[in-house]
Amino acid sequence: MHRLQALIPRWLTEYRSGWFVGDLSAGVVVALMLVPQSMAYAIVSGLPPVTGLYASLLPSLVYAWFGSSSVQSVGTMAITSVMMGTSLASLQPASSDAAIAMSAAVALMAGLVLVFASALRLGFLSALISRPVLSGFTTGSSVMIALSQLRYLLGPQDSGLSFLGMPLPQIHAHSLAVGLASLTVLWLAKAYASGALRILGLSPRATDMVIKLIPFSVILIATLLVAWLGLDGIRLVGDVPAGLPGLYWPALDQWERLVPTALSMALMVFLFGQSSSVVLGRKRGERILPDRELFALGSSNLAAALSGSFPVTGSISRSAVNFQAGANSQLASVISVLLLATALSSSTAWLSLLPMPALAAMIILAVFSMMDWAMLVACWRVDRRDALACLATALAVILVGFNEGLVAGLLLSLGFALASLGLSGLGLALRGHAVYDLEPLAARSSHSGYRVRFKGALIFANAETACSVMQNDLMSLAAQARKACVDQSIEPEALELCIDLSAVSDLDMTAIQVLAETHQALSEQGFVLGFILPPEPLRARLEREGRLLSTVSKRVGKA
């Protein structure tokens, strides 16, 4: 009986009636985002647009059942889509059906890799890639995605010219007008809509929801204008078959050619999905379980394969929208799926009229916001090792390819980690070996609390795990302290926390960012934080980074 209960997600057994309104509003907002976004990312993948909608159905339901994040939105994602598109372009499938079969096979193999990794409890391997490397990969990928959309934004006919391997189209006046107009409206809305709506008296939450619906509105208006004005020569989405996808086992005829893509895809699916759930989990005080995320994301990709789609993962931007729109549980994702399924089960004729230049404009603006050049600048200022890793990864992705860029970033990350930790130290770090001591503070004033003393190198390979475990330990201790106060009918005291970095021998950009996020999360949970800074030159890195020291308590000391 206990094992059967363990199979039922906690959000379902602990659901509260007060959550429903937030889940319903978030489900509607995300569903309206998903229609144009999913179709656009399917096109980026080199697949029929309807496969993007399929990718947002069964995989989302599977994650809602198995995932450990209450607001993670699983489905299409720009980077995995362009990775799939690049792979299909090199394999040159003979037909659309062959391309779908290949993409489903990649999703199947990637899903099996992730499920197998979950069984081996390999969730700790998410720490293999530093944040600057992930940022470089995202930035390089975003550049390539933007370039890939020029053929839809500028016109339907190839010019015979190319740039960085991407074909350049002949400029078509109507396509260019629709594309640039859509891009301009979307940019203006992103820059000024929030302020304008608040001037009109909308609440912050209502303003945020309206802004998230603007891309859907722009695509819809562009569709109506193209049809009304009779603009010819503009490429449209084309036929979108009605009905839900059938389930079938993908053919693995060319599996040996797809293995490299499947392996790199599995890593990207986990890294981006894990990153999305962890960022939002910290804001909600949720504990994200890496091995469970491996299984949930792996199972979602198996579902994508069986429903004739392509690899899926958690979307940071869409999950953030889900969170901001009021989602309290995965019921929000279930509602989005039901709305999409209803749309597919009815007439889909209107979807076939969506103009490709408007969809391309939406994708270009979305990926421009993903380009993280600020990380490169910050790394150059704080730690040149991270700057080198970030820049090398971005350039390798742009000039050589996605798989090669990923490998280059991974090797650089491991090289820096080995230099800082040594081989045995790296092994211990990846297995969650504690790098801190936790002890009660000496009695002082009217407060009680704890002292956390970090030891040795604190870098990307161990910072995420160490801070996550530390935060969970402190939350448990705080809960026990509050319970004791309730039992004794006394007012709970504020808990002090001193984070002692005096024994730290190395700090990289990932560790500094994780410390800042942990500081914010613990502050929101009622801790009064103070820091003891590390010795030079690490103290200088913190001062150059600036953001951590600007947010911490004034109770800061030096070693």
Side-chain angles (χ1 to χ4, degrees):
M1 184 65 180
H2 178 70
R3 290 184 178 179
L4 289 176
Q5 290 178 337
L7 294 175
I8 301 175
R10 286 185 60 187
W11 67 265
L12 196 58
T13 59
E14 299 175 1
Y15 198 82
R16 304 173 190 172
S17 58
W19 292 355
F20 181 73
V21 173
D23 285 337
L24 178 62
S25 64
V28 172
V29 170
V30 172
L32 291 174
M33 282 184 64
L34 277 171
V35 172
Q37 189 183 78
S38 298
M39 296 174 70
Y41 288 155
I43 293 166
V44 170
S45 297
L47 298 167
V50 74
T51 59
L53 297 174
Y54 295 164
S56 302
L57 295 175
L58 189 57
S60 294
L61 292 179
V62 169
Y63 182 86
W65 194 266
F66 293 114
S68 60
S69 170
S70 61
V71 295
Q72 175 86 288
S73 178
V74 166
T76 58
M77 197 255 190
I79 291 174
T80 52
S81 296
V82 78
M83 288 174 68
M84 190 70 253
T86 302
S87 178
L88 289 177
S90 64
L91 293 169
Q92 297 181 333
S95 64
S96 177
D97 289 341
I100 294 173
M102 288 181 178
S103 66
V106 170
L108 177 66
M109 289 189 286
L112 290 173
V113 168
L114 292 170
V115 170
F116 185 63
S118 171
L120 296 179
R121 303 182 67 82
L122 297 179
F124 62 85
L125 292 178
S126 62
L128 278 173
I129 296 185
S130 67
R131 291 191 181 188
V133 166
L134 193 57
S135 172
F137 184 85
T138 302
T139 299
S141 300
S142 298
V143 170
M144 300 309 290
I145 294 169
L147 290 174
S148 73
Q149 293 308 295
L150 292 180
R151 57 180 172 160
Y152 302 115
L153 185 76
L154 302 180
Q157 300 296 325
D158 287 341
S159 65
L161 303 175
S162 63
F163 179 69
L164 293 176
M166 297 288 181
L168 295 176
Q170 294 180 10
I171 294 178
H172 177 260
H174 290 166
S175 298
L176 182 61
V178 171
L180 289 183
S182 300
L183 191 60
T184 302
V185 172
L186 289 169
W187 179 79
L188 289 173
K190 184 175 182 179
Y192 301 110
S194 178
L197 291 171
R198 291 187 180 181
I199 290 174
L200 294 175
L202 266 69
S203 67
R205 183 173 176 180
T207 297
D208 197 59
M209 291 180 66
V210 170
I211 289 172
K212 298 304 183 293
L213 296 178
I214 287 175
F216 179 84
S217 303
V218 169
I219 299 296
L220 189 60
I221 292 171
T223 302
L224 294 174
L225 287 175
V226 168
W228 181 46
L229 297 175
L231 300 179
D232 58 347
I234 294 177
R235 182 181 297 181
L236 305 179
V237 163
D239 183 49
V240 177
L244 299 178
L247 300 181
Y248 63 92
W249 188 261
L252 295 175
D253 299 335
Q254 302 185 54
W255 67 268
E256 67 281 355
R257 300 175 64 193
L258 300 173
V259 166
T261 299
L263 292 175
S264 59
M265 191 72 75
L267 182 57
M268 284 297 101
V269 163
F270 181 50
L271 284 176
F272 283 103
Q274 173 77 353
S275 175
S276 173
S277 59
V278 166
V279 168
L280 294 174
R282 283 202 179 102
K283 291 183 179 180
R284 297 175 65 96
E286 286 181 342
R287 184 181 181 186
I288 304 302
L289 307 174
D291 293 317
R292 184 170 170 183
E293 286 297 288
L294 271 174
F295 181 79
L297 291 168
S299 300
S300 297
N301 277 277
L302 294 180
L306 296 177
S307 53
S309 187
F310 54 96
V312 297
T313 187
S315 164
I316 296 176
S317 59
R318 197 167 56 247
S319 298
V321 170
N322 198 31
F323 172 72
Q324 293 164 1
N328 295 300
S329 73
Q330 280 292 338
L331 180 61
S333 292
V334 174
I335 291 171
S336 295
V337 169
L338 293 176
L339 292 173
L340 280 179
T342 302
L344 276 172
S345 299
S346 57
S347 173
T348 57
W350 67 279
L351 293 174
S352 66
L353 300 176
L354 301 183
M356 292 295 297
L359 288 173
M362 184 187 73
I363 294 172
I364 289 172
L365 191 68
V367 299
F368 263 107
S369 66
M370 292 168 56
M371 295 181 189
D372 194 8
W373 300 112
M375 171 65 87
L376 177 60
V377 174
C379 288
W380 183 260
R381 187 174 62 249
V382 176
D383 189 342
R384 298 291 170 85
R385 299 172 303 177
D386 283 329
L388 173 62
C390 180
L391 181 60
T393 304
L395 290 177
V397 168
I398 294 170
L399 299 176
V400 185
F402 294 96
N403 292 342
E404 293 81 359
L406 182 59
V407 170
L410 179 61
L411 292 177
L412 278 171
S413 291
L414 290 178
F416 293 143
L418 284 171
S420 184
L421 295 169
L423 184 59
S424 60
L426 178 60
L428 291 172
L430 292 176
R431 285 168 174 78
H433 181 69
V435 292
Y436 65 87
D437 292 324
L438 178 62
E439 59 187 25
L441 280 173
R444 62 171 73 180
S445 65
S446 61
H447 296 287
S448 60
Y450 302 92
R451 176 173 179 264
V452 176
R453 186 171 187 266
F454 286 97
K455 304 173 296 183
L458 189 62
I459 61 174
F460 72 91
N462 58 13
E464 297 271 10
T465 301
C467 287
S468 177
V469 173
M470 177 196 73
Q471 184 174 337
N472 290 330
D473 288 344
L474 288 168
M475 294 303 298
S476 297
L477 291 169
Q480 294 172 17
R482 283 192 288 266
K483 184 178 183 301
C485 290
V486 171
D487 292 342
Q488 299 173 34
S489 300
I490 60 176
E491 189 70 22
E493 295 180 342
L495 288 174
E496 281 194 0
L497 178 63
C498 176
I499 296 181
D500 185 354
L501 304 177
S502 61
V504 171
S505 61
D506 195 2
L507 271 175
D508 67 359
M509 195 66 177
T510 301
I512 294 172
Q513 290 186 342
V514 171
L515 284 171
E517 292 164 4
T518 304
H519 166 266
Q520 181 178 351
L522 290 172
S523 296
E524 291 172 355
Q525 297 299 322
F527 283 89
V528 179
L529 273 77
F531 276 68
I532 296 178
L533 299 185
E536 293 287 357
L538 302 184
R539 187 189 312 156
R541 287 183 190 171
L542 286 178
E543 292 168 348
R544 288 195 298 269
E545 192 272 342
R547 286 174 296 177
L548 174 60
L549 293 186
S550 69
T551 57
V552 301
S553 164
K554 294 181 180 179
R555 301 168 55 84
V556 174
K558 296 183 180 180

